[in-house]
Every structure is written in C-alpha cells, then in structure tokens.
Amino acid sequence: MSKSAILSSSIAKKYWMAFTGLFLSLFLVGHLLGNLQLIFITGEEGKRAFNEYAFFMTHNPLIKVMSYLTYLSVLFHAIDGIFLAIQNKKARPIPYAYNNPGANSKLPARQMAVLGSVILIFIVIHMSNFWWKMKFSSEPMPLHSVMVKDPQSNQSQTLYLTHTDNFFPTSAFETTPMAEAQMEIKNETDFYNKQVNIKMGEGYKDLHSLVMTFFGQTKPGFPTNKYALFAVIGYVLAMAVMSMHLMHGFSSAFQSLGLNHKKYNKAIKTFGTAFALLIPLGFAIIPIIIYLNK
Amino acid sequence: MKLTLKIWRQKGPNDKGQMVTYPVDNISGDMSFLEMLDVLNEQLIETGDSPIAFDHDCREGICGSCSLYINGEAHGPDRAVTTCQLHMRKFHDGETIYIEPWRAKAFPVIKDLVVDRSAFDRIMAAGGFISVNTSGNTIDANTIPIPKQDADAAFEAATCIGCGACVATCKNSSAMLFVSAKVSQLSLLPQGKVEAKERVLNMVNRMDEEGFGNCTNTGACEVECPKEISLENIARMNREYFKAALSAE
C-alpha cells in the first residue's frame, strides 16, 4: 500500500511535480547568476571570467552531481507532466459544448502542459545550441584566445590562454609553407609540444564567443550569425512562456506539498509572482543587450 | 422573459446524445432555474414530447442533488449557490442558455442531465466514516474538549454537500476538493483522528480507481463550489496523505 502510495497515486505524482519544479526553480537562479556575467563584465575581462566559469561548471565534481540531478529533474518533470496531462484528458472523454473556464481560473493555470511542452522544446534547442557544441560536437570548439599588440613593432598577435596563465601564440599551431607547426592541440583543449609530445598547458573552450556570436555580436575571426535576430526573438518568447509557467507553478508547488497556511499564503503568492516575472526577465535582457551592443 | 435553451438530450447511458434547442417564454425573474425547467417540461409534456430529466430534491440548496452545467459554469454564473437557488433574474431577456450535465468519466450520464454520482458514495464507503458504536448510550458531544478553530474548520469542511460541482468544473475532472473536505471534516476531530491514516490512503486510492483526474491547483473548484469549500482542505489532505503514505503499516 505505502509503496504504491508514494510512487504512483495521484497525490504522489503531484509531490514529484512540485519537488522537481522547485528544484528547477533553484537551478534557474544559479543559471541566471552565471549568465549575467555576459553583460555585467565586459571586454576581455568578461570573456575570460565567463570561460573560466564555464570550465568550472563543467569540471567541478559537486556541480557535476548537481547537473545530473538537474537533467533528471527536467526529464522527470516532463515525463510525469505528460503522463498527468494524458490521464487528466482521459478523465473527461466528452467535452462541454459550451465552457467558460475564464470565469473561475487563470489561463496559465489551465495551460501548464502546453506551456511546459514549449519550454521542453526550448530546452532541447537551447542545449543543442550551446551545451551540445561545448561537450559533444564533432567540430572542435574554438579555444579562448587574446589579441595582443606589440607596442614597438605595432604587430598584433593572437595568443591562447592556459589554466596556468601561460600564453601560446596561435601561430605556433599552424603549419606554414616555411615551417611545420611546433605545437598541436590534443583532446580538444590540451596544448602539446609536437616534437617531444609533452603537454605544455590546457586551454579554455571559448563559450563566451560562441554565445556572443549566436546572439549577433560581430567579432573578427568568427562568422556572423545571419539568424541572430530570430535567436534573440525566440529566446525572449521562450522566457515569456517560462514566466507564465512559473506564475502558476511556483505557488502551486507549495499547495501540492501541503504548504498552505493563512499566515504565509500571501507571502508565497507574492514571492512566486515576483520570481515568475524577474527571473525570466533577467534571462531575456541578456541576448537583447548582446544584440543591441553588436 | 424570452429565452433560447440549448439542452443536452440523451435517451439512456448508451445513447450518443446531442444538444437540442428549445424556446421558452413568460419566464419570471423570480423563478428558480429548476422552476424554469419545470415550465419547459410542462410544455414538452403537453406537446407529447418526453420531459427533460434532471436531478433535484430539497430545492433549498442543502441536499446536493441538483447539478447542471449552465453557460459553461457549474451551477451557473452565480456564486455560492446551487442550481435550485439560482434565479432567473441572473439572466436577461433573449439570452441563449446552454444546459449540460456534469462531464466526467467517473460521472456517466444516465439520462439527459442526470449523471451517476455513485463514485462519490464508493469513495465515502472506502473511508469517509468513523468506526464507533452509536447505538444506546451516546455521550454528550461536549464531553471531549475540542479547540474552537478545529471545530470551525471541521464544520466548514462538513458543509460540502457532495454535489460534484468541483469535478464538473475542474479541467481535469479531479475530485480532490470533495475528497479533501471529507478527509478534513473527520481528521480534524479527535474521534476521526484514530483512523486518519487508513482513511486518507483508502479514500485517495478509491478516488484514483474511479477514474477522476489529478489536481493541478487551478482553483476553479473553490470558485464554483456552492458551499465555498476552501483549497486549504486539499493542502491538508496532501499533508495527511504524505504522513500516512510514509508511516502507515
């Protein structure tokens, strides 16, 4: 009895929706704080800060555990949600000829499954744009490089940055008609001396430039994204949908977990509304600012 | 008042059914909605048509027999009233009114506007009671001291008349408001606490078996409930269920 009660009853399914939903809300806060570096730290400093942050996020073991929990929560929230939506649809096989649900409930509350599905599609596109390219793409990611100008000769040089704050000129990796390359890149980010085959340093994947390019910033050495405007519009629209989903979802999660108390209901509702407005807004302004600053 | 009524007609449980249009005239604003239907039924009987079947009993808003989904809302556009207490002054001359039965898989249509709500009875039979011997020496109700707040909350929950408006209005046909009111009214009182764990598990289990949908907290039930049963009861049931599911043997 208890086993099925915790896993499969209608109320237990709601606990899981609420629990994973609140965990994902927490994830949004962390993700937003990371992303805000894109607009609050500018120039070379911002690029370096963001790429170091991206490296930390993909290599810290604790973050790794959290990221797997996040993937699991997204999957569980989506699958459980779809399952609930199908079950709910089946509970009324014959619809009303005339219905007026607007008289007793709000639109986001009634369309959580539709809003959630849009968000799921967004997550797939979003991850294939950045996460997939960063981790699995067959094309190697460009590495973090800085352009340095020699004040005497007035010649500029591009250098790769390593974790130990060393620099390697990118020209050392290129084979020219005059000479063969002295260095090579192995395992995507490792700089090797070609002759002695010793690892000289490790570079950073340049996620910053990928994001900037994606949302329309034109940088020398990177292709311009012809569809940047569509990317920005799509991203902003997805955040509007996220806002509606959170508008109902945040306070709803508390109700599902039984946390309904006259003394705190108003605070939960107010906080939920503020959360649903501010978090997606915070995400949405980032690509807009990048696009406008191109 | 002259009205156009669009009413669901269905000969029996296996009939396909359809919306049928009926014009009615000389409807007074002081009539209740059911009296208006009585007028229409008189007309239908006179013309040799079969009268429209609908549920009703006390016509005082306390028995929970009447139902009807009127113009897209359970018990019509008025708040905190059942259909029998809904008056025709809430409508205007020349209006078209849609009248449908409760729609839910767990509430199959028997005839016209009458649905089978015995799923609620089976949920009650699964745990909506206290097992005490009430024959013979009944003790005075005030022998056991009960905090006023608990007594009030239990009484408020107990005002649920089991009409099924919550299921009818819920986009998921969820019975959570009904079940939570019944769970609350008993579990808040000392006599009901004894069987609280089994009660909530058994009643929710039965509710799921009957084919009601899942609650998504839209709050529509609370708005349409003729007895204004609060969503607090659903949260209370969620808490009760959590405790019971973890600790029941």
Side-chain angles (χ1 to χ4, degrees), chain A residues 122-142:
Chain A
F122 165 76
I123 291 173
V124 171
I125 297 171
H126 184 67
M127 287 181 84
S128 68
N129 285 337
F130 303 116
W131 178 79
W132 182 264
K133 279 189 190 156
M134 177 100 176
K135 298 194 94 163
F136 302 111
S137 179
S138 53
E139 273 174 61
M141 274 272 289

Side-chain angles (χ1 to χ4, degrees), chain A residues 15 88 92 97 99 252 258, chain B residues 69 100 103 214 217 238-239:
Chain A
Y15 294 150
N88 292 341
R92 176 165 297 144
N99 204 356
S252 176
Chain B
Y69 209 71
E100 295 175 74
R103 290 287 187 206
N214 306 284
N217 306 324
N238 290 345
R239 287 197 296 275

Side-chain angles (χ1 to χ4, degrees), chain B residues 107-139:
Chain B
F107 286 167
V109 172
I110 297 169
K111 188 176 196 257
D112 296 337
L113 302 171
V114 179
V115 298
D116 180 0
R117 282 173 279 187
S118 56
F120 272 10
D121 300 336
R122 291 189 290 274
I123 293 172
M124 289 305 278
F129 52 81
I130 52 169
S131 307
V132 289
N133 190 355
T134 50
S135 63
N137 52 353
T138 314
I139 54 164

Side-chain angles (χ1 to χ4, degrees), chain A residues 172-186:
Chain A
F173 294 84
E174 287 154 17
T175 305
T176 57
M178 318 279 233
E180 208 183 314
Q182 298 162 349
M183 308 273 293
E184 66 176 334
I185 298 170
K186 284 185 183 173

Side-chain angles (χ1 to χ4, degrees), chain A residues 175-204:
Chain A
T175 305
T176 57
M178 318 279 233
E180 208 183 314
Q182 298 162 349
M183 308 273 293
E184 66 176 334
I185 298 170
K186 284 185 183 173
N187 307 326
E188 293 188 278
T189 54
D190 297 341
F191 302 124
Y192 273 78
N193 185 314
K194 235 178 156 181
Q195 269 122 34
V196 287
N197 202 27
I198 289 173
K199 186 174 165 184
M200 308 294 283
E202 200 177 331
Y204 292 101

Side-chain angles (χ1 to χ4, degrees), chain A residues 1 4 8-11 13 87 90-91, chain B residues 105-107 118-120 122-123 125-126 173 175 179 200-214 241:
Chain A
M1 177 68 202
S4 74
S8 63
S9 83
S10 59
I11 295 184
K13 285 199 208 96
Q87 220 170 29
K90 276 189 190 159
Chain B
K105 190 181 150 211
F107 286 167
S118 56
F120 272 10
R122 291 189 290 274
I123 293 172
S173 304
V179 180
V200 69
L201 291 175
N202 291 337
M203 287 179 82
V204 169
N205 194 26
R206 188 75 225 184
M207 171 181 84
D208 290 350
E209 279 172 16
E210 293 290 345
F212 292 102
N214 306 284
Y241 188 85

